[in-house]
Amino acid sequence: MRDQKLWTWHLAAGVIILFLLGLHMAIMHLDALLGIFNPAGGHPIDWANVVARGQSLAFTTTYILLLGTALFHGLYGLRNILFELDPAPPLKKALSWVLILVGVGLFIFGTWAAWVGYQVASQA
Amino acid sequence: MEKDRGHPNRLGIWGWIGGGSWGPDRYLYTLHRITGLGLLFYFVVHIFVTSSRAIGQSAWEESMMRVTGPLFVLGEYLVFVAVAFHAINGVRLVFAELGLGIGKPIEPIYPYRTCLDDQRPWAIGALLLIVALVVVGALDFFVWH
Amino acid sequence: MSNGKVPEQIVFRIRRFAPGRDMEPVWKDYTIAYEAGMTVLDGLWKVKESIDPTLAWRASCRMGVCGSCGMLINGKAGLGCNTQISELATSVVTVAPLSNFPIVRDLVPDLRPLFDAHTALSPYIIRSDSSEQEEPTGEYYQSAEEMESYLQFSYCIKCACCMAACPTCATDPIYSGPVALAQAHRYNTDTRDDGFEARKDVLAGEAGPWRCHFAGECSRVCPKGVDPAKAIQLMKRQLVADALGLRKKRLPAELAKKPDGIERRPDIPEAPAPTV
Ligand code: HEM
Ligand code: HEM
Ligand code: SF4
Ligand code: SF4
Ligand code: FES
């Protein structure tokens, strides 16, 4: 795939991340100020709050979306940086494959965690 | 080729940090790169840590136990700061790299005006917004809790 | 700006390198007397004439037009001929060859990487009506506004100062760099041109503008006000729009209509026959 397309998606991913991660940060770190999506009170990472969010299909799907966009955005950014170090062409090819495999692997694993977490939370 | 007899004279990674004319946009570029890499590193670890919620309450609480303490609080605050910088500066870059806020082509008349001058108010605005977020974040992390 | 308080003696600290003799460039100091109005290039001449005739650099026009004398002056890329010693306001002036290019000798950089990248992006008007280009029957129409969309970028003198300052050029030899990209954009936006698709072969890949992160150093050092960073961001906009299928396609400009109903005055001589 050529950089014209990949970089266009890199930018688009950045914009999507902006909203999703902005919400994530507001929930996790501006809890004393805003206190959103932490129904059990206390700390946002208390199990009761994690379960409350995890029961929601909307949260689960947006987490999977954030997972995918952030992995693509971050790993393509890393690839850009590594390629600027001028590795030999075979090394570039190998790096691209390693990054693709790492990205796909982490996406599958994270999606599994989000999905099973959704079921665990729904039963809790 | 004569090239082999000459001296390559490339600045190398040193040239990523300095070596030009040391303009402020250079530092924003360097910080954007460092925060991007830092976030990527945190994110990969984060995926593993938060996956414990799929196993159940005790696994989650055990993994959360492992990441408590003042050092982790400071680390998480740094992640928050990195997100604030990378996100706000990133929005500025999205606009600029799509040709918005950098001015139109002009007749170059000395002293030359460049797109960096058109960008300056946006960069300052972005920095102010980042500072505001960093301060609110610090209050939330260390004072209101 | 000159404050009239330039020291009478100026030390030129020059980075010397002779292929075959030196393994690494070395700094050498030369002290010369300052004269009012002296440029860095004048100072180099003085050193060569009065101290060391082996000193090598490249210059021709000595008036900021030819693009030969790009060098690092007190660490910043600029033209030797249009940098006044008084404006530097230092008694030691360091002069080094442009970074990110191989050194041929002393202050002479090998600019082939620049010209190769420039050539690879077809910096000329590309059209399908080649017969009209070879044997023109008129002029292609272009309005003043259309010309202003690229005019600024056409002032580039290929001095390579921007590439010496660019962080990406510091490590990546495949990146086309600000000169070639600004020139590609200059032709892409020229309404007489139809070469966007042809140049896209190079621009869409690794040599394209994606390696530019808007660090802006190129525009900051450019001695001609070309503002290559602006050209590159505008180019990204076009290419992103193209990737999304949103780019406004246009046909290349047609021949300008000749005014009707006007008689040529008999006392105006015919243009001479083309010589090439
Ligand atoms: C919050 C929303 C975000 C926005 C708006 C955003 C925006 C951007 C933009 C516009 C670039 C390209 C800059 C350039 O042309 O050099 C970029 C690069 C990058 N981003 Fe993000 N980003 C965001 C979040 C993230 C996250 C969460 C990560 C980590 C997972 C990340 C990692 C990177 C990396 C590694 C680069 C490459 C940096 C470089 O080449 O210097 N970004 N980002
Ligand atoms: C340092 C501050 C952060 C904290 C305290 C935090 C906390 C959490 C928590 C508690 C969860 C579990 C889900 C939930 O309870 O809602 C989670 C999931 C997630 N977080 Fe964060 N997070 C932080 C930063 C980030 C950053 C910087 C990113 C993006 C690059 C991110 C992306 C995600 C994603 C994608 C998930 C879902 C993971 C999965 O399902 O496998 N988080 N986070
Ligand atoms: S863009 Fe400016 S600095 Fe770069 S080669 Fe052209 S004139 Fe020189
Ligand atoms: S704006 Fe782009 S081309 Fe210009 S110096 Fe910065 S990275 Fe290089
Ligand atoms: S000698 Fe021609 S630009 Fe300096």
Side-chain angles (χ1 to χ4, degrees):
Chain A
M1 183 80 53
R2 308 208 66 194
D3 289 273
Q4 183 189 11
K5 288 240 160 60
L6 290 171
W7 192 82
T8 303
W9 293 341
H10 180 70
L11 275 201
V15 176
I16 296 172
I17 299 168
L18 176 72
F19 291 104
L20 298 184
L21 188 57
L23 178 66
H24 193 55
M25 287 287 114
I27 295 173
M28 298 295 165
H29 293 315
L30 300 180
D31 52 306
L33 177 68
L34 302 171
I36 45 171
F37 298 114
N38 286 310
H43 206 278
I45 61 167
D46 290 346
W47 179 248
N49 285 319
V50 174
V51 165
R53 284 188 298 269
Q55 282 167 346
S56 141
L57 192 58
F59 259 106
T60 305
T61 44
T62 50
Y63 270 139
I64 295 173
L65 183 61
L66 175 60
L67 179 72
T69 47
L71 278 172
F72 170 71
H73 179 92
L75 293 174
Y76 177 72
L78 176 62
R79 179 178 176 270
N80 243 340
I81 296 174
L82 292 175
F83 276 26
E84 281 176 23
L85 291 169
D86 190 33
L91 190 53
K92 279 188 176 169
K93 218 172 198 150
L95 278 171
S96 298
W97 278 110
V98 168
L99 291 177
I100 290 173
L101 290 179
V102 167
V104 170
L106 285 173
F107 181 71
I108 292 173
F109 177 68
T111 306
W112 167 83
W115 188 248
V116 176
Y118 168 61
Q119 280 156 348
V120 169
S122 303
Q123 281 151 20
Chain B
M1 218 155 79
E2 307 99 319
K3 222 176 230 168
D4 308 327
R5 291 200 290 126
H7 186 273
N9 204 30
R10 258 186 213 285
L11 288 177
I13 291 192
W14 159 242
W16 288 6
I17 303 158
S21 71
W22 302 94
D25 311 83
R26 173 57 143 292
Y27 296 106
L28 294 179
Y29 146 88
T30 310
L31 265 180
H32 197 79
R33 182 158 276 195
I34 293 171
T35 53
L37 288 176
L39 287 175
L40 181 61
F41 175 77
Y42 174 84
F43 183 42
V44 171
V45 178
H46 188 60
I47 293 174
F48 287 104
V49 172
T50 56
S51 69
S52 62
R53 74 190 193 279
I55 301 171
Q57 177 166 11
S58 55
W60 173 260
E61 277 163 1
E62 196 187 319
S63 68
M64 284 302 116
M65 281 295 284
R66 238 177 266 143
V67 292
T68 42
L71 226 64
F72 282 99
V73 174
L74 186 69
E76 284 192 2
Y77 180 63
L78 286 182
V79 171
F80 178 84
V81 171
V83 171
F85 177 85
H86 193 93
I88 307 289
N89 191 52
V91 172
R92 179 185 74 91
L93 283 174
V94 169
F95 281 107
E97 302 195 50
L98 293 177
L100 300 163
I102 59 170
K104 285 196 171 71
I106 52 168
E107 178 83 9
I109 294 169
Y110 197 83
Y112 302 127
R113 186 182 165 81
T114 68
C115 57
L116 304 172
D117 301 309
D118 291 286
Q119 215 11 235
R120 190 65 10 104
W122 297 104
I124 291 173
L127 282 174
L128 288 177
L129 206 57
I130 292 163
V131 169
L133 276 176
V134 166
V135 169
V136 173
L139 291 173
D140 206 300
F141 262 81
F142 305 113
V143 181
W144 296 333
H145 264 285
Chain C
M1 290 299 113
S2 171
N3 54 7
K5 274 193 268 168
V6 186
E8 284 175 15
Q9 302 284 310
I10 295 282
V11 176
F12 263 65
R13 184 160 295 160
I14 303 176
R15 204 157 164 79
R16 304 289 310 262
F17 177 78
R21 191 188 67 202
D22 302 329
M23 296 300 291
E24 285 292 320
V26 284
W27 292 103
K28 290 235 171 82
D29 284 6
Y30 305 89
T31 307
I32 56 167
Y34 174 75
E35 285 161 26
M38 200 179 221
T39 63
V40 171
L41 186 61
D42 295 333
L44 291 177
W45 273 113
K46 191 102 172 207
V47 172
K48 190 176 176 81
E49 284 164 357
S50 59
I51 307 176
D52 188 346
T54 66
L55 179 64
W57 71 84
R58 187 162 43 211
S60 325
C61 71
R62 53 101 185 95
M63 52 192 233
V65 171
C66 71
S68 304
C69 68
M71 47 189 80
L72 297 188
I73 301 163
N74 284 355
K76 290 179 191 168
L79 298 178
C81 69
N82 82 351
T83 306
Q84 288 284 328
I85 289 174
S86 59
E87 95 193 58
L88 296 171
T90 48
S91 56
V92 179
V93 176
T94 67
V95 189
L98 287 179
S99 36
N100 308 334
F101 293 95
I103 307 174
V104 177
R105 185 186 180 93
D106 292 345
L107 302 174
V108 184
D110 180 352
L111 296 185
R112 270 178 298 184
L114 182 165
F115 295 117
D116 290 346
H118 189 222
T119 317
L121 281 164
S122 312
Y124 39 79
I125 286 184
I126 300 175
R127 295 178 66 105
S128 48
D129 56 351
S130 51
S131 60
E132 173 60 30
Q133 288 199 76
E134 296 305 324
E135 302 285 338
T137 59
E139 292 166 357
Y140 296 125
Y141 175 77
Q142 185 164 69
S143 71
E145 291 78 35
E146 287 166 347
M147 188 174 74
E148 275 166 15
S149 68
Y150 69 81
L151 185 64
Q152 177 173 26
F153 311 130
S154 68
Y155 285 105
C156 172
I157 58 174
K158 323 293 180 293
C159 66
C161 290
C162 49
M163 289 177 75
C166 172
T168 306
C169 294
T171 54
D172 186 356
I174 293 173
Y175 177 49
S176 296
V179 184
L181 291 178
Q183 293 319 298
H185 185 69
R186 174 248 175 278
Y187 284 98
N188 276 347
T189 44
D190 191 320
T191 51
R192 298 164 299 181
D193 178 85
D194 197 18
F196 181 84
E197 292 296 331
R199 290 185 199 99
K200 205 171 85 178
D201 276 348
V202 177
L203 293 176
E206 276 186 56
W210 328 111
R211 292 286 136 79
C212 164
H213 309 290
F214 199 41
E217 295 285 12
C218 51
S219 293
R220 189 177 294 281
V221 298
C222 176
K224 302 300 283 182
V226 170
D227 208 350
K230 187 190 282 173
I232 296 171
Q233 312 322 311
L234 293 172
M235 164 185 267
K236 285 182 190 164
R237 176 202 184 93
Q238 256 186 4
L239 285 163
V240 165
D242 181 73
L244 299 173
L246 299 172
R247 187 174 71 89
K248 284 191 220 97
K249 300 233 165 50
R250 55 163 177 78
L251 292 171
E254 306 199 350
L255 286 180
K257 281 201 197 64
K258 299 230 168 68
D260 315 310
I262 295 178
E263 290 288 316
R264 186 185 177 90
R265 266 169 48 187
D267 54 337
I268 297 178
E270 284 296 323
T275 51
V276 283

